[in-house]
Amino acid sequence: MTELSVAAPKAEAQSHSAGANFRFIVIALTAFLTVVDLFATQAILPSLTKHYGVTPAAMGFAVNASTMGMAVSGLAVGYFSREIDRRKGILLSLLLLAIPTTLLAHAPDLTTFTLLRVMQGLCMAAAFTLTLAYLGEHYSAADSASAFAAYITGNVASNLIGRLISAAVADHFGLAANFYFFASLNLLGAALVYFTIEKTPPMKDMGGGVSSHFEAWIMHLKNPSLRASFAIGFCILFTFIGTFTYVNFVLVQPPLGVGSMTLGFVYFVFLPAIATTPLAGRAVKRFGTRPTFWGSLLVAALGLPLLVLPILPAVLLGMVLVGVGTFFAQACATGFVGRAATSDRGSATGLYLASYFFGGLIGSAVLGVIFDMFGWNACVAGIAVSLLVAALLAVFLRTPMSPATA
C-alpha cells in the first residue's frame, strides 16, 4: 500500500512533466512557423539590395515594412478579438500568409516588394495576436509566464533557423526559391494549428464593465502599467531591428568581410537566446518582472560597445548579448501584459503588439537614415538610447497579482 501511494504521485508528476514539455514544444513550434518570415529576409539583405539596386536604408525599410502591417493588424485584431474564434483566426491567417510570401518571388520592383511585405505583416500579426490572446485566456497565472516564454522561444528560433535557411536557399537556388520555401512553411504552420489548437468559442464576455471595443482600449490605456508595457514593446523591437538589420551591412564590408553564405551562419548568435529565453518565466516568478526586465536590458547594453569594434569575434559576442537581452526582455513584457490586463486580454495584446511592431518600423526608418548619414557607431548610439528609455519605463511595471510579479 505504501509503495503504491509513493509510486502514484511519482507517475503523475512524470506525466505532468511530459505534458508540459509537449505543450512547450507545440507552443514554440507554432510561434516559429508564425513569424519565421519576419526576420529571415534580413539574412539576404545585401543580396536584395544589389538585386533591386537601392541603398541599404531603402532596402532595410522595405524588408521591415512587414512591421507596418503587423502594427495595423495587431490593432485591428485586438479591437475585434472577442468576436474572433481563436483557432479559425490563426488557421486562416497562416493560410493567407502563404500568398504574399509566394508572390515575393516575382516582385518586379521595390514598391511591390514593400507592399507584399506589408501584407505578410498583416497575416503574421493576426496569427500572433490571436495566439497570445489564446495563451492568456487558457492558462492559469502560474502557467502563463512559461507559456509566453515558450512562444517567445519559438520566435527566437525563427530568427536563427529562418535566417540560416534563407541564406542557404538563396545562395544555392536563388531568391525566388527562397520565398517558395517559406510559403511552404506557412502552410505547415496552418497544419500544425489545425491539429493541435483546441476549438474555442469567441470571447463574448469582456468583463470589467466594458461594453465596447473602444472602451476596452481606453481602459487599458488608463492603466499606467499597461501604458508602460506598450512603450517598452516599442523600444524592444526598435533596439532589435536597429541592431540586426544594419549590422548585416557592417559584417559584409571591410574589415570584417563576411561572405553571403557565411552571413547566414553568423546568426548562430541566436542560439544562446534559444537556451535562455525559456528561463524567463522562472526568473519572473523568482525575482519579479522589473528586476528580471532590468537584468535583461543590462545584458543587451553590455553588447553594444562590442558591436563597434573592427573584430569579428567581438561583434559576434555583442550580437549574442543583444539577442539574449532583447528576447528575454520581450518574454518578460509579453507575459506581463497577459497578467496585467484584468479583462479583454485580446485587445490588450493587440495594443502591445501594435506598439511593438510600430517600434520596429520606426527603428528601421530612423536608424537606417542615421546609418546612411552618420555610420554604424551613431546607429549603435541610437540603440543605446532606446534601451535606456525602456529601463526607465520599467519602473511602472506593476500588477495587482502579487508582490512577486511587481
Side-chain angles (χ1 to χ4, degrees), residues 155-181:
N155 189 345
V156 181
S158 73
N159 274 270
L160 168 59
I161 300 172
R163 291 170 199 259
L164 289 175
I165 292 172
S166 184
V169 173
D171 190 63
H172 287 89
F173 304 104
L175 292 173
N178 174 72
F179 294 112
Y180 291 142
F181 183 84

Side-chain angles (χ1 to χ4, degrees), residues 287-382:
F287 302 109
T289 298
R290 285 176 294 166
T292 303
F293 186 77
W294 281 323
S296 65
L297 293 185
L298 177 60
V299 170
L302 290 174
L304 296 184
L306 300 175
L307 294 176
V308 300
L309 298 178
I311 306 167
L312 184 58
V315 174
L316 294 180
L317 178 57
M319 292 170 70
V320 167
L321 293 174
V322 173
V324 167
T326 53
F327 278 116
F328 214 90
Q330 186 191 0
C332 292
T334 306
F336 175 84
V337 172
R339 296 191 303 276
T342 56
S343 64
D344 197 10
R345 290 187 176 93
S347 66
T349 300
L351 286 170
Y352 172 80
L353 290 178
S355 181
Y356 175 76
F357 291 118
F358 188 61
L361 179 67
I362 298 301
S364 65
V366 172
L367 294 174
V369 172
I370 292 174
F371 181 81
D372 278 352
M373 294 182 64
F374 305 107
W376 177 234
N377 289 4
C379 188
V380 172

Side-chain angles (χ1 to χ4, degrees), residues 11-30:
E12 184 178 342
Q14 290 175 340
S15 175
H16 177 76
S17 177
N21 290 337
F22 177 75
R23 181 183 67 191
F24 185 95
I25 292 170
V26 168
I27 293 173
L29 190 55
T30 300

Side-chain angles (χ1 to χ4, degrees), residues 10-355:
K10 184 177 180 180
E12 184 178 342
Q14 290 175 340
S15 175
H16 177 76
S17 177
N21 290 337
F22 177 75
R23 181 183 67 191
F24 185 95
I25 292 170
V26 168
I27 293 173
L29 190 55
T30 300
F32 172 87
L33 295 170
T34 298
V35 295
V36 69
D37 297 277
L38 182 58
F39 297 118
T41 312
Q42 289 185 349
I44 54 173
L45 257 175
S47 298
L48 287 169
T49 302
K50 183 178 180 181
H51 177 77
Y52 287 104
V54 295
T55 66
M59 197 69 241
F61 181 82
V63 163
N64 293 313
S66 53
T67 58
M68 182 189 301
M70 296 187 90
V72 172
S73 182
L75 282 176
V77 174
Y79 188 82
F80 294 106
S81 66
R82 58 173 169 158
E83 278 89 16
I84 301 174
D85 179 285
R86 306 307 191 220
R87 181 175 181 272
K88 289 181 181 178
I90 299 167
L91 183 60
L92 182 61
S93 298
L94 292 176
L95 288 172
L96 291 176
L97 176 58
I99 297 174
T101 306
T102 301
L103 294 176
L104 277 168
H106 303 286
D109 51 51
L110 191 64
T111 301
T112 305
F113 184 97
T114 303
L115 291 174
L116 289 172
R117 286 291 285 173
V118 172
M119 291 175 63
Q120 278 189 309
L122 291 170
C123 297
M124 282 187 284
F128 200 106
T129 304
L130 291 172
T131 303
L132 289 180
Y134 176 90
L135 295 178
E137 293 157 355
H138 290 79
Y139 288 98
S140 66
D143 293 333
S144 64
S146 296
F148 284 117
Y151 199 74
I152 302 306
T153 300
N155 189 345
V156 181
S158 73
N159 274 270
L160 168 59
I161 300 172
R163 291 170 199 259
L164 289 175
I165 292 172
S166 184
V169 173
D171 190 63
H172 287 89
F173 304 104
L175 292 173
N178 174 72
F179 294 112
Y180 291 142
F181 183 84
F182 279 91
S184 69
L185 290 182
N186 302 152
L187 297 177
L188 182 60
L192 178 67
V193 168
Y194 181 83
F195 288 109
T196 60
I197 289 187
E198 299 175 1
K199 294 181 181 179
T200 58
M203 305 299 290
K204 293 288 186 182
D205 183 15
M206 296 170 69
V210 178
S211 59
S212 72
H213 303 292
F214 187 70
E215 284 183 17
W217 277 3
I218 297 300
M219 176 187 67
H220 295 319
L221 291 172
K222 283 182 177 178
N223 184 326
S225 292
L226 283 176
R227 281 203 310 270
S229 69
F230 300 154
I232 282 171
F234 180 100
C235 294
I236 291 173
L237 198 59
F238 186 102
T239 296
F240 184 85
I241 288 283
T243 302
F244 291 100
T245 295
Y246 298 106
V247 73
N248 289 284
F249 298 103
V250 176
L251 289 169
V252 298
Q253 294 169 356
L256 302 180
V258 175
S260 58
M261 181 57 200
T262 309
L263 187 62
F265 289 103
V266 162
Y267 287 98
F268 273 110
V269 295
F270 290 121
L271 205 54
I274 295 177
T276 57
T277 302
L279 303 176
R282 244 181 268 174
V284 168
K285 288 180 183 178
R286 181 170 181 180
F287 302 109
T289 298
R290 285 176 294 166
T292 303
F293 186 77
W294 281 323
S296 65
L297 293 185
L298 177 60
V299 170
L302 290 174
L304 296 184
L306 300 175
L307 294 176
V308 300
L309 298 178
I311 306 167
L312 184 58
V315 174
L316 294 180
L317 178 57
M319 292 170 70
V320 167
L321 293 174
V322 173
V324 167
T326 53
F327 278 116
F328 214 90
Q330 186 191 0
C332 292
T334 306
F336 175 84
V337 172
R339 296 191 303 276
T342 56
S343 64
D344 197 10
R345 290 187 176 93
S347 66
T349 300
L351 286 170
Y352 172 80
L353 290 178
S355 181

